[in-house]
Amino acid sequence: MQNIILWCRSNFIEYAVAFIIFLSIPPFFMWSFDKLAPIYSFLVFFLSLLKFRKLKKTNLLFFTSISLLFLYMSIRNGSNIFGYLAPQLLCSVLLFPSKFLHDVFDKFSKLYAATIIPSILMYVLVVLIGVDISYEIVEPLNALKDYDYLHYPFLIVTNKLNIGSFRFEAYYDEPGVVGTISGVLLLARGIHVKKWETWPILISGFLSLSLAFYLMLFANILIFQNIKVKILLTSVLVFLGAVLVENEVVGTLMFDRLTIEDGRLAGENRTSSKMDVFMERYVGSNEFLFGYGGNYSQEVVNVGGASYKDFLVNYGIVGFGMLVFFSLLFALVFLRPSKLFVIYFVIFGSVIYQRPFVNHTLYFSLLYFSFLYMSYKNRCMS
């Protein structure tokens, strides 16, 4: 009993911070509280401060650089005092010890994996088998969406009569959220078949039918895994591809999106056609240096989309350059020229390409906690 109490004391803060990151995704039961998003930054910081009482000079240059990026973003957003303070508190978490951030990332991975298990089981029952289970109608998180969701116990399903309703969304508003999180966690942690959390993360990514997940998984197998795992997972993927290639749902959602149309992937749907035309005029214009600020891209140019181009339009080549330079520079400092740095490059590219919401607690954690996790783990193993 005493050992359990000691374990709870030593792990409580890490799990509490991990839980706040989980809430920030957000799951469907937090959709009504989306205006509270800045609060997550405060909670993550102050919970961390409870553990260490004061900030340290650990990672000071890293913190200063990312803090400067976020200050620039706040200025371009025309933020109020809370719009300045919340991002800076989130950046300040980088001043806590790398071991702590490693442990938070590890706990978040386990929490995400544990909570997604009942969602996978419900998905199998409702979507794959067709069991009639009662549900409620839930309004979308994004008011721009023209459809609602069916809320089953532990599961959200798109209430839209199209083939996309077969994709696994778990508790979230898009299957791409599942695909991105699962893909990043597997890249940062590796695919360890003996660890229980690997399997729900892997299965959730498969069921999401997220193109981003499959591309990250392929990169994971190619770069990260030993020859035995390469052979095993490649064989499984080839087998599944051969079995499902004629399936209408999988064919439309996956294989058709891998074809090349007009010089680009057919599945590249992160931007609207209006955005593509806008970018041709934007590059080289007077606004290209510092961007339009605020959420100009999401509200005017690329309504309903999500792309690295949004960040470029909002904050210009200066903001985008700072983001890329600082992130990859310090990943290189922590990971050195190595296979781990290549893995982080894939993580960074995958997140920024499709979900460049760097001031969002979840994506901030995926971007920066991930390479601190890999760095600390690598030091412990060497």
Side-chain angles (χ1 to χ4, degrees), residues 114-129:
T115 55
I116 216 163
I117 291 174
S119 191
I120 291 172
L121 295 176
M122 186 59 64
Y123 171 85
V124 172
L125 289 174
V126 171
V127 178
L128 299 186
I129 298 178

Side-chain angles (χ1 to χ4, degrees), residues 129-264:
I129 298 178
V131 176
D132 186 15
I133 297 176
S134 61
Y135 59 83
E136 297 177 351
I137 301 294
V138 178
E139 294 184 357
L141 173 64
N142 186 341
L144 295 175
K145 293 186 175 179
D146 58 354
Y147 53 86
D148 297 320
Y149 293 85
L150 307 182
H151 166 214
Y152 295 92
F154 307 109
L155 178 69
I156 288 290
V157 176
T158 300
N159 185 20
K160 191 175 183 180
L161 297 177
N162 69 2
I163 206 164
S165 61
F166 286 92
R167 299 178 64 188
F168 177 61
E169 300 182 47
Y171 307 92
Y172 317 115
D173 69 327
E174 291 184 5
V177 174
V178 175
T180 300
I181 297 174
S182 297
V184 169
L185 295 183
L186 290 177
L187 275 167
R189 295 170 55 88
I191 301 175
H192 300 288
V193 295
K194 294 183 179 179
K195 292 186 176 181
W196 69 267
E197 59 265 31
T198 295
W199 293 104
I201 295 173
L202 186 61
I203 293 169
S204 67
F206 271 120
L207 296 178
S208 72
L209 295 177
S210 165
L211 182 58
F213 172 81
Y214 282 94
L215 293 176
M216 280 191 278
L217 179 63
F218 178 75
N220 196 330
I221 296 170
L222 187 66
I223 301 169
F224 198 74
Q225 304 306 319
N226 60 46
I227 189 64
K228 290 183 179 179
V229 177
K230 278 184 172 69
I231 294 173
L232 173 62
L233 291 179
T234 302
S235 300
V236 171
L237 289 176
V238 170
F239 173 76
L240 289 174
V243 171
L244 299 174
V245 68
E246 298 299 330
N247 182 279
E248 180 183 359
V249 175
V250 178
T252 301
L253 296 177
M254 283 299 302
F255 295 111
D256 290 353
R257 298 175 69 198
L258 290 171
T259 59
I260 303 296
E261 295 179 357
D262 299 325
R264 60 188 290 183

